[in-house]
């Protein structure tokens, strides 16, 4: 208390003194910032000391937690990286009563009650560092924290904290409440994209024992020395991809609300994101669970529309899990197929090609996709089976014809426009760009799939606007476990 009062008076004197010295506001603000942080550390220590006194007064000689017996032991000190910097405090230790020869465990009741883990970082510092790491590289997140915090965690701590929070994402999505004031029509959009992952060879180098390196004369020689150490890479075979992509599935869900007067559907309402590198079926099952939460259970008479790019696996799972949903093929994927077909019928970019594609697009939007299939059959019959380039043209047309014919039921665009429903999958394409590619597909990145899963799901939680609720969920869960079980819990994980 004395230190808090001294620092508070010092701040008052600083403000008056700087004003009397005609200091500029910029100079005063820089000076007062460090003093405010020092006052904050003093107040934090006062809070911890007062809380420890209250907890210690309530302790008895014998404490039982989860069937285990503990007795008070001498207090222990530790450092804690708070929002205002590092503080040091002492708290009582409860040691487990065990038989001779067995290892005794214990915990600190003050830390358990306040929700402080063994990581020596406050929950708020963890939260801001991990949240920044979901939007930028781990090194950039650390540097940015240093702009406004006097003490920052290392990149290794931030990485392990991402994995620690990632262990709770599935449980969060399962129990997260449904949004309020939803619409009458549910739209589900699914798409899959790849993220670069590390090969077994790269992982072996990353995890192996590091060789001792001689110090280079200057930074400009570091690259030369590094190249001398590396062995020549084998030339990739035709068709091999250096990206080594692992496919993830992105799910976007929102509702549309009917106008009180008129036929338009307003939205999107309560847009939610989910992504995973698990099998595609998992994403559709998550969509089923969330749809039920939002008032669209199996067998509902309300409208559910599922939009995909025509992926066969997604189509099969949607038919199985959402049998009553309207499955729509993204119209832009079909239009791209028409342009590919046009370049097989006429010279690419020619007026005849453009005119032919426009005619097919009109038929597509008019709900006459079957006529497009018939036109492709006619064009296929016109192309000779022999001759330069004809084999490729025929194969291309046959592939596009098969793609459209197989998905005719999902191309009822005239009806969709009349009902003001979705024709394309733009929202899920944008989600892939913003949530996956922007953070996880930059130059030199090679992810471990499980780590990419943790980061991607944390980005979805942040994009859903649920970050603070999720952090509080993890905080309350770990705190309750520490109190009831008498355990020292660590958020950071390496696996």
């Amino acid at each position: 208390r004395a230190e808090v009062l001294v620092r508070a008076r010092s701040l008052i004197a600083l403000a008056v003194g700087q004003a009397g010295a005609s200091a500029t506001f910029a100079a005063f603000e820089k000076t007062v910032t460090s003093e405010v942080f020092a006052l904050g550390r003093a107040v934090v220590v006062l809070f911890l000391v007062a809380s420890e006194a209250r907890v210690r007064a309530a302790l008895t000689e014998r404490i039982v937690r989860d069937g285990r017996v503990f007795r008070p032991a001498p207090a222990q000190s530790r450092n804690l990286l708070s929002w205002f910097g590092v503080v040091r405090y002492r708290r009582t230790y409860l040691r487990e009563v065990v038989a001779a020869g067995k290892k005794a465990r214990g915990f600190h009741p003050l830390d358990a009650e306040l929700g402080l883990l063994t990581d020596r970082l406050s929950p708020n510092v963890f939260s801001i560092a991990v949240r920044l790491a979901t939007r930028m590289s781990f090194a950039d997140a650390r540097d940015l924290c240093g702009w406004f915090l006097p003490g920052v965690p290392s990149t290794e701590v931030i990485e392990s904290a991402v994995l620690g929070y990632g262990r709770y994402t599935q449980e969060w999505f399962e129990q997260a409440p449904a949004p309020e004031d939803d619409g009458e029509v549910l739209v589900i959009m699914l798409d899959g994209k790849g993220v670069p992952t590390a090969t077994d060879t790269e992982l072996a180098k990353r995890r192996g024992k590091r060789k001792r390196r001689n110090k280079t004369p200057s930074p400009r020689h570091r690259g030369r020395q590094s190249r001398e150490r590396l062995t020549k890479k084998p030339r990739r075979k035709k068709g091999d991809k250096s990206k080594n992509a692992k496919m993830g599935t992105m799910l976007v869900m929102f509702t549309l609300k009917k106008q009180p007067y008129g036929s338009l559907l307003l939205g999107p309402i309560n847009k939610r994101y989910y992504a995973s590198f698990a099998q595609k079926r998992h994403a559709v099952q998550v969509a089923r669970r969330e749809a039920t939460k939002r008032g669209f259970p199996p067998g509902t008479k309300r409208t559910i529309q599922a939009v995909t790019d025509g992926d066969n696996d997604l189509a099969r799972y949607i038919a199985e899990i959402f049998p009553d949903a309207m499955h729509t093929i993204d119209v832009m994927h079909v239009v791209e197929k028409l342009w590919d077909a046009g370049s097989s019928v006429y010279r690419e970019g020619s007026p005849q090609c453009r005119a032919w594609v426009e005619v097919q697009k009109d038929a597509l939007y008019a709900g006459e996709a079957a006529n497009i299939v018939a036109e492709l059959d006619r064009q296929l019959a016109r192309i000779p089976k022999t001759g330069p380039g004809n084999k490729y043209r025929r194969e291309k047309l046959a592939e596009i014809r098969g793609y459209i014919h197989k998905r005719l039921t999902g191309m009822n665009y005239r009806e969709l426009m009349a009902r003001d429903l979705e024709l394309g999958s733009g929202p899920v394409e944008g989600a892939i760009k913003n949530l996956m590619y922007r953070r996880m597909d930059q130059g030199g990145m090679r992810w471990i799939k499980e780590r990419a899963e943790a980061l991607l799901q944390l980005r979805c939680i942040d994009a859903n606007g649920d970050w603070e609720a999720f952090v509080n969920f993890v905080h309350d869960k770990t705190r309750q476990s520490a109190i009831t079980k008498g355990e020292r819990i660590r958020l950071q994980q390496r696996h």
Side-chain angles (χ1 to χ4, degrees):
R1 284 176 180 166
E3 184 177 355
V4 170
L5 291 173
V6 168
R7 292 198 174 278
R9 294 191 184 102
S10 175
L11 274 171
I12 296 173
L14 176 64
V16 175
Q18 291 282 318
S22 300
T24 63
F25 181 83
F28 165 73
E29 192 175 32
K30 288 182 178 179
T31 305
V32 78
T33 299
S34 60
E35 295 298 324
V36 169
F37 276 119
L39 175 61
R41 290 193 292 272
V43 172
V44 168
V45 172
L46 177 60
F47 168 77
L48 293 171
V49 169
S51 300
E52 166 64 12
R54 174 180 52 81
V55 170
R56 187 172 60 245
L59 293 177
T60 60
E61 288 298 319
R62 186 174 183 273
I63 298 96
V64 180
R65 292 286 189 276
D66 197 29
R68 298 156 59 201
V69 179
F70 297 86
R71 294 189 185 279
Q76 297 178 350
S77 300
R78 84 157 175 175
N79 293 337
L80 175 71
L81 178 56
S82 71
W83 192 270
F84 304 98
V86 178
V87 297
R88 188 168 182 83
Y89 68 104
R90 292 174 63 82
R91 71 270 198 250
T92 301
Y93 181 67
L94 294 182
R95 187 182 301 279
E96 184 180 8
V97 179
V98 296
K102 289 189 176 181
K103 186 177 181 181
R105 296 181 298 171
F107 73 105
H108 303 92
L110 175 65
D111 292 349
E113 182 171 322
L114 298 182
L116 296 174
L117 308 180
T118 61
D119 303 277
R120 299 186 181 183
L121 272 78
S122 80
N124 291 323
V125 175
F126 261 140
S127 173
I128 191 65
V130 172
R131 191 175 189 180
L132 287 173
T134 64
R135 303 190 177 202
M136 59 188 70
S137 70
F138 297 111
D140 287 343
R142 177 204 60 201
D143 293 342
L144 190 56
C145 283
W147 289 4
F148 53 86
L149 294 179
V152 296
S154 65
T155 54
E156 292 77 13
V157 169
I158 297 176
E159 288 181 28
S160 56
V162 167
L163 294 181
Y165 274 122
R167 288 178 174 237
Y168 296 93
T169 55
Q170 283 298 320
E171 191 174 353
W172 163 259
F173 282 115
E174 289 175 6
Q175 63 81 50
E180 299 179 356
D181 193 24
D182 234 352
E184 295 86 10
V185 177
L186 178 66
V187 179
I188 301 170
M189 295 187 176
L190 293 144
D191 198 3
K193 294 294 179 182
V195 167
T197 57
T199 62
D200 294 338
T201 304
E202 291 171 332
L203 288 177
K205 290 182 179 180
R206 190 185 299 182
R207 295 168 175 170
K209 187 176 180 180
R210 302 297 175 91
K211 296 180 181 180
R212 185 170 181 176
R213 303 176 181 178
N214 297 325
K215 189 174 180 180
T216 56
S218 68
R220 62 183 294 268
H221 296 91
R222 193 175 301 156
R224 187 184 308 170
Q225 187 187 66
S226 176
R227 287 189 293 272
E228 291 175 355
R229 288 195 313 270
L230 296 176
T231 57
K232 289 186 177 181
K233 293 182 180 180
R235 183 176 177 82
R236 290 199 303 268
K237 297 180 181 178
K238 187 176 181 180
D240 289 349
K241 304 294 183 182
S242 62
K243 189 174 180 179
N244 191 40
K246 299 299 181 186
M247 296 298 295
T249 306
M250 177 67 67
L251 165 66
V252 178
M253 300 181 67
F254 57 88
T255 58
L256 305 173
K257 181 172 290 188
K258 297 178 181 178
Q259 279 184 316
Y261 305 99
S263 60
L264 294 181
L265 297 174
L266 307 181
I269 299 170
N270 296 324
K271 186 184 291 185
R272 294 292 185 270
Y273 304 95
Y274 179 84
S276 175
F277 290 95
Q279 295 180 353
K280 297 175 185 178
R281 182 187 184 89
H282 168 72
V284 183
Q285 289 174 329
V286 170
R288 174 69 277 169
R289 182 187 71 208
E290 296 302 313
T292 302
K293 280 186 191 178
R294 299 177 73 155
F296 296 83
T300 182
K301 300 300 182 182
R302 307 174 78 184
T303 301
I304 300 177
Q305 183 187 18
V307 185
T308 70
D309 61 355
D311 182 277
N312 291 323
D313 294 330
L314 290 176
R316 184 169 66 254
Y317 297 140
I318 289 172
E320 174 189 346
I321 300 174
F322 287 92
D324 299 324
M326 300 175 56
H327 184 195
T328 301
I329 308 301
D330 177 14
V331 68
M332 297 311 300
H333 281 78
V334 183
V335 171
E336 287 298 321
K337 295 288 185 182
L338 293 179
W339 279 106
D340 289 341
S343 63
S344 299
V345 176
Y346 300 100
R347 183 171 55 84
E348 184 176 1
S350 64
Q352 296 88 344
C353 176
R354 290 196 296 271
W356 184 86
V357 172
E358 291 300 325
V359 171
Q360 309 314 311
K361 285 171 61 178
D362 291 341
L364 186 67
Y365 287 109
E368 301 171 354
N371 293 343
I372 300 177
V373 175
E375 171 65 15
L376 292 174
D377 286 336
R378 286 193 294 271
Q379 295 296 338
L380 193 59
R382 290 179 59 249
I383 301 177
K385 294 183 179 181
T386 59
N390 287 344
K391 180 181 179 181
Y392 172 78
R393 294 167 61 199
R394 290 180 59 85
E395 289 178 351
K396 193 69 175 177
L397 278 178
E399 176 189 346
I400 297 170
R401 189 261 183 205
Y403 175 90
I404 296 176
H405 183 263
K406 185 178 180 179
R407 298 165 176 83
L408 285 176
T409 56
M411 299 181 185
N412 52 338
Y413 301 117
R414 182 177 183 178
E415 178 188 352
L416 295 175
M417 288 188 291
R419 298 176 60 179
D420 196 28
L421 292 172
E422 297 292 319
L423 302 185
S425 59
V428 72
E429 297 283 354
I432 287 174
K433 177 182 177 181
N434 293 320
L435 298 182
M436 291 180 70
Y437 282 179
R438 181 171 292 180
R439 173 64 180 92
M440 308 176 74
D441 197 6
Q442 303 299 321
M445 286 187 175
R446 292 293 184 272
W447 293 90
I448 298 171
K449 186 172 69 172
E450 292 77 11
R451 295 194 178 197
E453 174 93 354
L455 187 68
L456 181 57
Q457 295 204 341
L458 290 174
R459 281 180 67 79
C460 289
I461 291 173
D462 192 14
N464 291 338
D466 295 335
W467 185 262
E468 291 300 330
F470 168 73
V471 170
N472 293 336
F473 167 78
V474 176
H475 179 268
D476 294 343
K477 187 175 180 63
T478 54
R479 175 177 176 269
Q480 188 62 31
S481 180
I483 292 174
T484 57
K485 297 182 179 180
E487 296 179 343
R488 302 176 66 191
I489 298 178
R490 182 179 180 85
L491 179 67
Q492 297 178 66
Q493 299 291 334
R494 297 303 302 170
H495 301 282

